[in-house]
Structures are given as C-alpha cells and as structure tokens.
Amino acid sequence: MEEIGKRRRHHQHHFVLVHGVCHGAWCWYRVATLLSSAGHRVTALDMAACGASPARAEEVASFEEYSRPLLDTVAALPPGEQVVLVGHSFGGQSLALAMERCPDSVAVAVFASAAMPALGKPMAFVLQEFSQETGPDFYMDCKYGASTNPQSQYPVETLLLGPEYLAKRLYQLSPPEDLTLAMAMVRPSQWFADDVVLKGNVLTAQGYGAVKRVCVVAEDDASWSADFQRRMASWNPGAEVRGLQGADHMFMLSKPRELSELLVEIADRYCRQAHTQT
C-alpha cells in the first residue's frame, strides 16, 4: 500500500471499477482499499441486477440498461474531468460502450482479463470467438435459466456460475476466503446474446477507437487463456499489453497489490499524456 502511494504522491486519479458476469462491486474490495488508502478516488460499481442492485437479472431489458450505472457515472463527470476505467471479464463490454458514448471523459481504459471488442465488429464478436475455443464441458456446473421479460425484445437467458467452475476456472490461485465469498455472493446474469447493441456495429473510430487502452493479461487464467487475451488486444492496434504472472482470472483477488500498482503506473502515464495533449 505504501509503495502505491510513494511512487506518484502528487498524482491522484479517479478509478472506476467494473466487475464481470455474475459478480459485483464487492469483488474489487482488496484493490479498492489499496487504491483509496493511497489517496486515489475509487468508484466500484454494481451493474444492473448485480451485487447489491435490487433488480433481478430477468428484469434487465437490454445490455444498455445493464450498463446504465457505468454510463450514467461517466456521463455525469464535470467538463474536463477524466477517469481511468477498469473493466474485468464481461465488464469490458460495458467499458467499450462507455468509451463510445463519452470518449473525452476517459483518460485510459484498462481491460483486465476483460472482453476487449474489435473496432469495426459487433461487440458480440468477442464471445463468438471465445465460444470456438471452449468444449462442451467448459462451464462445468454453471446453471442456465430461461424466462421472458415483457420489456425485452428477445427471450431472457441467464447464467449462474457454479462452485466447481468458480474454484477451478476463476479462483484457483485466489485466497480460499475469497472463493467462499464468491460462492455466497454471485448472482445470475444475462449474456445478452441477442441484444441489438452487442450485435450492432456501434463502436466508432471517433468514440471507442479514440480512447487509449491497455490490456492487462492474467497469465495463469484458467477461463480464457493468456493467448486469447492477447488475441483480443491484437484486434485493437496501438493497445498496450501488460502481463501479471501468477494471476488467475480474478487477479484483483489473487494479485491485488501487483494489480493496484500497475493500475497506478498506467494512470500516471496516460493521465499525464492526456494533460499534455490538452
């Protein structure tokens, strides 16, 4: 913690942290503590029907509604203020939409073992490509559900991550107490497979493409591999790629100090560049 604050004591940043599927703001508690204790501002968000959100997954009508907490947070920033967006796993899709809508409000976007869409392709392309790398038993004991929502234009399909999947695919290098926490806290989430935003060509060079981005690779991720994470980065020319050894998919829990230090290093560099350019 001391090291994080020592390096750039005069540069305080605003980090906005976005969780992945079935998770919530709670999964950032270690990183949020390290960053805030070093003097940085931290906003860890629950997407709709996640974490402490009162909504249920089947009540969320669209991916845009799911991402609304992030979109509203970035849109509400005062003119001239920029944040460091950090997205994990499926949260990278929400990051991309916020970058598209408010590119001038984002100093840099960090995709931490996160879905990193390709400019010029639908955001759904990421999961379509990933599905080709997984076998029929990949999702182990995860549970799928189906229902209908009158506000939605398509059937609602939900996913709940199972205990075995959590233990072997996501948390295999994380502290056991964090796996226990996850088993108690994960909630069903939608994939939004047929969503018009995810299936449409909504990402533009002037929006999403105009924001600096960094891909942080969890080198020992047992869900999507380090190679696939780098492949996503290759779809984004100019993206910086950094790696964290010994990190599982949940590297905010398996490597919280290392990730926090890297986030501050990235913020220092890109925020300084943004100030120089303006």
Side-chain angles (χ1 to χ4, degrees):
M1 190 186 309
E2 182 182 351
E3 190 62 32
I4 296 171
K6 245 197 263 184
R7 218 182 283 138
R8 293 281 180 189
R9 229 173 250 291
H10 299 297
H11 293 279
Q12 266 89 45
H13 307 292
H14 183 184
F15 294 91
V16 177
L17 310 178
V18 181
H19 62 81
V21 70
C22 299
H23 285 67
W26 56 266
C27 70
W28 292 102
Y29 79 97
R30 293 185 186 272
V31 167
T33 300
L34 288 165
L35 292 174
S36 60
S37 296
H40 301 287
R41 183 179 172 190
V42 179
T43 302
L45 297 169
D46 285 323
M47 297 297 99
C50 297
S53 168
R56 295 183 302 168
E58 58 269 25
E59 297 172 344
V60 181
S62 66
F63 176 70
E64 180 157 347
E65 183 179 328
Y66 170 85
S67 304
R68 180 57 54 196
L70 173 62
L71 299 178
D72 287 350
T73 295
V74 177
L77 292 169
E81 182 177 330
Q82 291 189 315
V83 294
V84 178
L85 294 185
V86 185
H88 176 248
S89 198
F90 187 70
Q93 304 280 49
S94 298
L95 238 64
L97 190 57
M99 293 158 68
E100 176 63 31
R101 299 286 173 81
C102 302
D104 294 338
S105 297
V106 183
V108 59
V110 181
F111 292 79
S113 189
M116 197 173 189
L119 186 64
K121 293 184 180 294
M123 285 194 280
F125 175 75
V126 172
L127 296 181
Q128 290 167 0
E129 289 294 297
F130 180 61
S131 67
Q132 296 178 18
E133 303 204 353
T134 60
D137 300 324
F138 179 82
Y139 287 101
M140 298 177 172
D141 58 341
C142 295
K143 295 181 179 178
Y144 296 88
S147 61
T148 57
N149 180 344
Q151 299 179 28
S152 176
Q153 298 179 354
Y154 49 86
V156 175
E157 298 179 354
T158 59
L159 167 73
L160 177 62
L161 303 179
E164 183 183 9
Y165 182 85
L166 290 168
K168 294 182 177 179
R169 296 279 191 223
L170 305 188
Y171 286 78
Q172 82 275 10
L173 300 176
S174 295
E177 61 269 25
D178 289 326
L179 172 60
T180 301
L181 176 65
M183 289 179 178
M185 295 294 290
V186 292
R187 297 176 57 183
S189 288
Q190 288 193 54
W191 279 120
F192 301 100
D194 296 315
D195 188 87
V196 292
V197 169
L198 290 180
K199 293 179 74 174
N201 287 315
V202 301
L203 302 180
T204 66
Q206 298 77 25
Y208 173 72
V211 180
K212 302 293 185 183
R213 69 208 69 180
V214 179
C215 171
V216 180
V217 176
E219 298 288 2
D220 293 286
D221 196 326
S223 56
W224 44 31
S225 67
D227 285 344
F228 186 77
Q229 293 170 62
R230 288 186 166 85
R231 186 175 162 204
M232 288 189 286
S234 73
W235 302 334
N236 291 265
E240 180 183 357
V241 179
R242 304 290 296 268
L244 279 185
Q245 297 290 338
D248 59 18
H249 187 66
M250 303 301 298
F251 54 179
M252 71 280 281
L253 299 170
S254 59
K255 291 291 181 181
R257 185 175 303 277
E258 293 85 348
L259 179 59
S260 299
E261 290 176 355
L262 181 55
L263 291 177
V264 172
E265 177 191 328
I266 290 168
D268 282 341
R269 183 166 69 258
Y270 285 93
C271 291
R272 189 163 57 247
Q273 289 179 6
H275 290 317
T276 301
Q277 291 169 1
T278 54

PDB file of all heavy atoms in Angstrom, residues 201-220:
ATOM      1  N   ASN A 201     -23.060  -2.708 -35.131  1.00  0.00           N
ATOM      2  CA  ASN A 201     -21.752  -2.056 -35.289  1.00  0.00           C
ATOM      3  C   ASN A 201     -21.816  -0.667 -34.647  1.00  0.00           C
ATOM      4  O   ASN A 201     -21.932   0.352 -35.340  1.00  0.00           O
ATOM      5  CB  ASN A 201     -21.374  -1.952 -36.771  1.00  0.00           C
ATOM      6  CG  ASN A 201     -20.989  -3.307 -37.348  1.00  0.00           C
ATOM      7  OD1 ASN A 201     -20.239  -4.051 -36.726  1.00  0.00           O
ATOM      8  ND2 ASN A 201     -21.514  -3.630 -38.516  1.00  0.00           N
ATOM      9  N   VAL A 202     -21.748  -0.640 -33.329  1.00  0.00           N
ATOM     10  CA  VAL A 202     -21.954   0.612 -32.594  1.00  0.00           C
ATOM     11  C   VAL A 202     -20.644   1.289 -32.207  1.00  0.00           C
ATOM     12  O   VAL A 202     -20.652   2.438 -31.770  1.00  0.00           O
ATOM     13  CB  VAL A 202     -22.799   0.371 -31.328  1.00  0.00           C
ATOM     14  CG1 VAL A 202     -24.152  -0.207 -31.687  1.00  0.00           C
ATOM     15  CG2 VAL A 202     -22.077  -0.539 -30.337  1.00  0.00           C
ATOM     16  N   LEU A 203     -19.517   0.609 -32.360  1.00  0.00           N
ATOM     17  CA  LEU A 203     -18.237   1.181 -31.941  1.00  0.00           C
ATOM     18  C   LEU A 203     -17.583   1.912 -33.112  1.00  0.00           C
ATOM     19  O   LEU A 203     -17.382   1.333 -34.182  1.00  0.00           O
ATOM     20  CB  LEU A 203     -17.304   0.080 -31.418  1.00  0.00           C
ATOM     21  CG  LEU A 203     -17.847  -0.740 -30.240  1.00  0.00           C
ATOM     22  CD1 LEU A 203     -16.826  -1.788 -29.819  1.00  0.00           C
ATOM     23  CD2 LEU A 203     -18.220   0.165 -29.071  1.00  0.00           C
ATOM     24  N   THR A 204     -17.241   3.171 -32.898  1.00  0.00           N
ATOM     25  CA  THR A 204     -16.699   4.002 -33.965  1.00  0.00           C
ATOM     26  C   THR A 204     -15.272   4.450 -33.653  1.00  0.00           C
ATOM     27  O   THR A 204     -14.833   4.420 -32.500  1.00  0.00           O
ATOM     28  CB  THR A 204     -17.562   5.260 -34.154  1.00  0.00           C
ATOM     29  OG1 THR A 204     -17.468   6.083 -32.971  1.00  0.00           O
ATOM     30  CG2 THR A 204     -19.030   4.893 -34.396  1.00  0.00           C
ATOM     31  N   ALA A 205     -14.579   4.887 -34.698  1.00  0.00           N
ATOM     32  CA  ALA A 205     -13.214   5.395 -34.516  1.00  0.00           C
ATOM     33  C   ALA A 205     -13.210   6.672 -33.698  1.00  0.00           C
ATOM     34  O   ALA A 205     -12.257   6.950 -32.964  1.00  0.00           O
ATOM     35  CB  ALA A 205     -12.572   5.634 -35.882  1.00  0.00           C
ATOM     36  N   GLN A 206     -14.280   7.459 -33.789  1.00  0.00           N
ATOM     37  CA  GLN A 206     -14.354   8.730 -33.065  1.00  0.00           C
ATOM     38  C   GLN A 206     -14.723   8.533 -31.594  1.00  0.00           C
ATOM     39  O   GLN A 206     -14.490   9.419 -30.774  1.00  0.00           O
ATOM     40  CB  GLN A 206     -15.385   9.653 -33.721  1.00  0.00           C
ATOM     41  CG  GLN A 206     -15.065  10.052 -35.154  1.00  0.00           C
ATOM     42  CD  GLN A 206     -15.354   8.945 -36.161  1.00  0.00           C
ATOM     43  OE1 GLN A 206     -16.185   8.063 -35.914  1.00  0.00           O
ATOM     44  NE2 GLN A 206     -14.650   8.969 -37.292  1.00  0.00           N
ATOM     45  N   GLY A 207     -15.289   7.394 -31.266  1.00  0.00           N
ATOM     46  CA  GLY A 207     -15.696   7.117 -29.887  1.00  0.00           C
ATOM     47  C   GLY A 207     -14.757   6.117 -29.243  1.00  0.00           C
ATOM     48  O   GLY A 207     -13.694   6.461 -28.740  1.00  0.00           O
ATOM     49  N   TYR A 208     -15.148   4.860 -29.287  1.00  0.00           N
ATOM     50  CA  TYR A 208     -14.337   3.787 -28.705  1.00  0.00           C
ATOM     51  C   TYR A 208     -12.896   3.826 -29.206  1.00  0.00           C
ATOM     52  O   TYR A 208     -11.945   3.695 -28.424  1.00  0.00           O
ATOM     53  CB  TYR A 208     -14.996   2.454 -29.049  1.00  0.00           C
ATOM     54  CG  TYR A 208     -14.217   1.211 -28.672  1.00  0.00           C
ATOM     55  CD1 TYR A 208     -14.090   0.830 -27.335  1.00  0.00           C
ATOM     56  CD2 TYR A 208     -13.645   0.393 -29.649  1.00  0.00           C
ATOM     57  CE1 TYR A 208     -13.398  -0.323 -26.989  1.00  0.00           C
ATOM     58  CE2 TYR A 208     -12.961  -0.761 -29.318  1.00  0.00           C
ATOM     59  CZ  TYR A 208     -12.834  -1.116 -27.978  1.00  0.00           C
ATOM     60  OH  TYR A 208     -12.145  -2.254 -27.651  1.00  0.00           O
ATOM     61  N   GLY A 209     -12.732   4.028 -30.499  1.00  0.00           N
ATOM     62  CA  GLY A 209     -11.386   3.990 -31.083  1.00  0.00           C
ATOM     63  C   GLY A 209     -10.503   5.147 -30.705  1.00  0.00           C
ATOM     64  O   GLY A 209      -9.285   5.092 -30.908  1.00  0.00           O
ATOM     65  N   ALA A 210     -11.078   6.214 -30.150  1.00  0.00           N
ATOM     66  CA  ALA A 210     -10.292   7.401 -29.804  1.00  0.00           C
ATOM     67  C   ALA A 210      -9.695   7.336 -28.403  1.00  0.00           C
ATOM     68  O   ALA A 210      -8.891   8.201 -28.033  1.00  0.00           O
ATOM     69  CB  ALA A 210     -11.167   8.644 -29.930  1.00  0.00           C
ATOM     70  N   VAL A 211     -10.075   6.334 -27.617  1.00  0.00           N
ATOM     71  CA  VAL A 211      -9.633   6.244 -26.218  1.00  0.00           C
ATOM     72  C   VAL A 211      -8.422   5.330 -26.121  1.00  0.00           C
ATOM     73  O   VAL A 211      -8.405   4.232 -26.685  1.00  0.00           O
ATOM     74  CB  VAL A 211     -10.769   5.711 -25.317  1.00  0.00           C
ATOM     75  CG1 VAL A 211     -10.296   5.619 -23.870  1.00  0.00           C
ATOM     76  CG2 VAL A 211     -11.988   6.614 -25.418  1.00  0.00           C
ATOM     77  N   LYS A 212      -7.406   5.773 -25.383  1.00  0.00           N
ATOM     78  CA  LYS A 212      -6.239   4.930 -25.124  1.00  0.00           C
ATOM     79  C   LYS A 212      -6.675   3.714 -24.316  1.00  0.00           C
ATOM     80  O   LYS A 212      -7.511   3.813 -23.427  1.00  0.00           O
ATOM     81  CB  LYS A 212      -5.173   5.708 -24.349  1.00  0.00           C
ATOM     82  CG  LYS A 212      -4.679   6.969 -25.045  1.00  0.00           C
ATOM     83  CD  LYS A 212      -3.901   6.629 -26.307  1.00  0.00           C
ATOM     84  CE  LYS A 212      -3.302   7.887 -26.939  1.00  0.00           C
ATOM     85  NZ  LYS A 212      -2.612   7.572 -28.215  1.00  0.00           N
ATOM     86  N   ARG A 213      -6.082   2.559 -24.617  1.00  0.00           N
ATOM     87  CA  ARG A 213      -6.490   1.350 -23.903  1.00  0.00           C
ATOM     88  C   ARG A 213      -5.287   0.466 -23.610  1.00  0.00           C
ATOM     89  O   ARG A 213      -4.309   0.439 -24.367  1.00  0.00           O
ATOM     90  CB  ARG A 213      -7.545   0.586 -24.679  1.00  0.00           C
ATOM     91  CG  ARG A 213      -7.060  -0.044 -25.951  1.00  0.00           C
ATOM     92  CD  ARG A 213      -8.170  -0.182 -26.958  1.00  0.00           C
ATOM     93  NE  ARG A 213      -8.572   1.141 -27.442  1.00  0.00           N
ATOM     94  CZ  ARG A 213      -9.523   1.333 -28.331  1.00  0.00           C
ATOM     95  NH1 ARG A 213     -10.192   0.320 -28.802  1.00  0.00           N
ATOM     96  NH2 ARG A 213      -9.819   2.539 -28.750  1.00  0.00           N
ATOM     97  N   VAL A 214      -5.404  -0.250 -22.498  1.00  0.00           N
ATOM     98  CA  VAL A 214      -4.358  -1.174 -22.059  1.00  0.00           C
ATOM     99  C   VAL A 214      -5.008  -2.510 -21.743  1.00  0.00           C
ATOM    100  O   VAL A 214      -6.028  -2.565 -21.054  1.00  0.00           O
ATOM    101  CB  VAL A 214      -3.620  -0.639 -20.807  1.00  0.00           C
ATOM    102  CG1 VAL A 214      -2.554  -1.635 -20.344  1.00  0.00           C
ATOM    103  CG2 VAL A 214      -2.986   0.725 -21.086  1.00  0.00           C
ATOM    104  N   CYS A 215      -4.427  -3.576 -22.248  1.00  0.00           N
ATOM    105  CA  CYS A 215      -4.872  -4.934 -21.934  1.00  0.00           C
ATOM    106  C   CYS A 215      -3.937  -5.499 -20.872  1.00  0.00           C
ATOM    107  O   CYS A 215      -2.725  -5.609 -21.100  1.00  0.00           O
ATOM    108  CB  CYS A 215      -4.834  -5.798 -23.198  1.00  0.00           C
ATOM    109  SG  CYS A 215      -5.105  -7.561 -22.897  1.00  0.00           S
ATOM    110  N   VAL A 216      -4.480  -5.827 -19.702  1.00  0.00           N
ATOM    111  CA  VAL A 216      -3.686  -6.467 -18.655  1.00  0.00           C
ATOM    112  C   VAL A 216      -4.029  -7.947 -18.653  1.00  0.00           C
ATOM    113  O   VAL A 216      -5.176  -8.333 -18.396  1.00  0.00           O
ATOM    114  CB  VAL A 216      -3.957  -5.837 -17.276  1.00  0.00           C
ATOM    115  CG1 VAL A 216      -3.108  -6.534 -16.207  1.00  0.00           C
ATOM    116  CG2 VAL A 216      -3.645  -4.348 -17.294  1.00  0.00           C
ATOM    117  N   VAL A 217      -3.041  -8.764 -18.945  1.00  0.00           N
ATOM    118  CA  VAL A 217      -3.234 -10.203 -19.121  1.00  0.00           C
ATOM    119  C   VAL A 217      -3.000 -10.930 -17.799  1.00  0.00           C
ATOM    120  O   VAL A 217      -1.955 -10.761 -17.157  1.00  0.00           O
ATOM    121  CB  VAL A 217      -2.264 -10.752 -20.187  1.00  0.00           C
ATOM    122  CG1 VAL A 217      -2.381 -12.273 -20.299  1.00  0.00           C
ATOM    123  CG2 VAL A 217      -2.526 -10.087 -21.527  1.00  0.00           C
ATOM    124  N   ALA A 218      -3.974 -11.727 -17.389  1.00  0.00           N
ATOM    125  CA  ALA A 218      -3.794 -12.645 -16.263  1.00  0.00           C
ATOM    126  C   ALA A 218      -3.120 -13.897 -16.825  1.00  0.00           C
ATOM    127  O   ALA A 218      -3.742 -14.696 -17.514  1.00  0.00           O
ATOM    128  CB  ALA A 218      -5.140 -12.979 -15.627  1.00  0.00           C
ATOM    129  N   GLU A 219      -1.828 -14.045 -16.538  1.00  0.00           N
ATOM    130  CA  GLU A 219      -1.030 -15.063 -17.227  1.00  0.00           C
ATOM    131  C   GLU A 219      -1.436 -16.495 -16.883  1.00  0.00           C
ATOM    132  O   GLU A 219      -1.196 -17.409 -17.661  1.00  0.00           O
ATOM    133  CB  GLU A 219       0.455 -14.855 -16.903  1.00  0.00           C
ATOM    134  CG  GLU A 219       1.022 -13.514 -17.364  1.00  0.00           C
ATOM    135  CD  GLU A 219       1.193 -13.417 -18.875  1.00  0.00           C
ATOM    136  OE1 GLU A 219       0.843 -14.380 -19.593  1.00  0.00           O
ATOM    137  OE2 GLU A 219       1.683 -12.372 -19.343  1.00  0.00           O
ATOM    138  N   ASP A 220      -2.049 -16.714 -15.717  1.00  0.00           N
ATOM    139  CA  ASP A 220      -2.436 -18.068 -15.323  1.00  0.00           C
ATOM    140  C   ASP A 220      -3.953 -18.216 -15.251  1.00  0.00           C
ATOM    141  O   ASP A 220      -4.478 -19.008 -14.459  1.00  0.00           O
ATOM    142  CB  ASP A 220      -1.777 -18.430 -13.988  1.00  0.00           C
ATOM    143  CG  ASP A 220      -0.264 -18.535 -14.127  1.00  0.00           C
ATOM    144  OD1 ASP A 220       0.206 -19.523 -14.710  1.00  0.00           O
ATOM    145  OD2 ASP A 220       0.452 -17.613 -13.693  1.00  0.00           O
TER     146      ASP A 220
END
